[in-house]
Amino acid sequence: MKDDHVFFWKSIRKFEALDAGTSQVNWPYQTSAGIFYSTTAMDGLVIFRYGHGNIYALNTENGDLEWKVTTGAAVLGSPIIEGDSVHIGGSDGKFRALSASIGEVNWEFEGLQRVVVSKPLLSEGFVIFGAWDKNLYALDQNTGLLKWAWNNGSPNRIYSTVMYIPVTDNGIVSIVAPDRYPTALDIHSGKELWRSNEATVRESFGIS
C-alpha cells in the first residue's frame, strides 16, 4: 500500500491499483505474462517484475510506465528500495542496483552461478542476499563490489540460502543455513560466529 493505493497483481497478466478507501480500481496495467512475485513502492512509483525478464516502474497515480529494464533472464528476486536505489537479483547471473527515479543501472555484480529469488537485506552499507549457488553474498551497497561470501559446505541446493531472508542486529547477520542450522555471521567480515544444532528448521527468516 502506498499513496492511498493498494497494489496487487493477477496471474491473468494484469497489475492493478485499488483505492485504499473504496476498493475501486483506479487503474490497471496490462502485462505480456502472468505476475507471481512481490512488489515494492516508493513515493510516486510502484516497482514490480515477472518471469519474462523485465523490471517495471509505474506511476502510482495513473499507472503510466515510467521506465522498464530488460535483463537476460527471468527476474525472480524481490526488489528493495533505499533512497533512489532499487536492489534486485536476477536469473542471468547478475545482481543489480538501479536508479529508482529513472531506471538506469547504477552497478551490476556478475559473480552469481545460480538464480536469486529472495529479498535482499540492506544494512550498514552492505547488500546481503542468498543465491541458488549455495552462497550468502555481501556486496558494497554503493559500488556492488563483493565484500564476502559464505558457504557452509552443504551439498544440498534445495535447502539453500536462496530461500530465507537474512536479518541483522548489532552487526550480526542471522540466517538459517542450507543444512537447516540457525547461524550467526559477522556482517563486516562474514566470519561465522556460531551455529546451533539444537534444533533444525526448514528455510526460514533469520531471527534478530
Side-chain angles (χ1 to χ4, degrees):
M1 180 174 172
K2 191 72 174 178
D3 298 333
D4 296 322
H5 294 82
V6 177
F7 303 102
F8 72 99
W9 63 94
K10 296 181 177 179
S11 59
I12 56 173
R13 304 180 181 182
K14 187 178 291 185
F15 186 88
E16 292 184 342
L18 304 185
D19 186 286
T22 66
S23 78
Q24 295 296 311
V25 176
N26 285 340
W27 51 258
Y29 184 84
Q30 197 73 35
T31 66
S32 59
I35 305 169
F36 301 96
Y37 312 114
S38 62
T39 65
T40 190
M42 59 180 291
D43 291 340
L45 287 178
V46 58
I47 297 170
F48 69 96
R49 76 277 186 254
Y50 65 90
H52 278 197
N54 295 323
I55 305 167
Y56 293 89
L58 306 182
N59 185 294
T60 57
E61 290 302 315
N62 54 32
D64 287 348
L65 178 66
E66 297 292 338
W67 53 260
K68 179 177 74 172
V69 172
T70 299
T71 73
V75 184
L76 305 179
S78 296
I80 188 170
I81 299 176
E82 184 171 282
D84 189 50
S85 291
V86 180
H87 296 84
I88 187 168
S91 302
D92 56 353
K94 297 180 181 180
F95 189 97
R96 295 173 172 84
L98 310 174
S99 166
S101 55
I102 59 177
E104 286 187 352
V105 177
N106 293 332
W107 53 257
E108 292 180 335
F109 174 71
E110 301 184 359
L112 305 177
Q113 301 302 311
R114 295 290 189 274
V115 303
V116 176
V117 302
S118 62
K119 187 174 184 177
L121 166 71
L122 303 181
S123 181
E124 299 190 32
F126 293 91
V127 184
I128 301 173
F129 61 94
W132 272 114
D133 58 13
K134 299 180 289 184
N135 290 313
L136 182 73
Y137 292 92
L139 309 181
D140 185 287
Q141 186 174 338
N142 294 318
T143 65
L145 294 176
L146 178 66
K147 291 299 186 180
W148 52 263
W150 178 87
N151 184 321
N152 75 320
S154 171
N156 196 335
R157 281 210 307 264
I158 296 176
Y159 307 119
S160 170
T161 49
V162 73
M163 295 304 294
Y164 57 67
I165 300 174
V167 297
T168 185
D169 183 60
N170 199 29
I172 297 174
V173 179
S174 300
I175 60 172
V176 174
D179 56 9
R180 304 184 180 184
Y181 289 168
T183 302
L185 308 172
D186 180 87
I187 193 172
H188 299 285
S189 65
K191 179 182 178 181
E192 190 176 296
L193 301 177
W194 55 258
R195 281 163 50 77
S196 173
N197 59 2
E198 294 297 318
T200 57
V201 294
R202 284 290 299 267
E203 300 89 343
S204 176
F205 294 91
I207 301 173
S208 63

